[in-house]
């Protein structure tokens, strides 16, 4: 079975969300537990909506280089 195209993925595992945000899994868990990143729990697994992860990524302030 082939994985679905990236545009069809609606939920990310914690590991996938960490890779997308380029942070550690622990950071994603902290974001979820603080309420900064929405997620749902199914059994022992957590899933982050892909759109929520992308929205979070776009709300971050980007540091400007100093002259």
């Amino acid at each position: 079975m082939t994985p679905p195209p990236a545009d069809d993925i609606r939920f990310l595992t914690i590991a996938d969300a960490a890779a997308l945000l380029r942070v550690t899994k622990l950071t994603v868990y902290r974001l979820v537990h603080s309420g900064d990143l929405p997620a749902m729990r199914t059994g022992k697994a957590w899933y982050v909506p892909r759109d929520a992860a992308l929205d979070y990524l776009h709300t971050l302030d980007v540091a400007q280089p100093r002259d």
Side-chain angles (χ1 to χ4, degrees):
M1 184 166 94
T2 60
D7 291 342
D8 290 345
I9 297 173
R10 295 179 192 242
F11 292 95
L12 304 170
T13 63
I14 294 296
D16 291 337
L20 178 68
L21 298 174
R22 296 199 170 143
V23 297
T24 65
K25 291 190 294 185
L26 181 59
T27 300
V28 175
Y29 280 117
R30 286 179 181 156
L31 291 169
V32 168
H33 289 293
S34 70
D36 292 331
L37 186 62
M40 63 180 225
R41 187 173 182 175
T42 304
K44 292 184 178 181
W46 284 92
Y47 296 96
V48 176
R50 183 175 182 269
D51 291 339
L54 291 172
D55 289 344
Y56 179 80
L57 190 60
H58 292 290
T59 63
L60 297 176
D61 289 331
V62 177
Q64 297 298 321
R66 293 183 183 186
D67 290 331

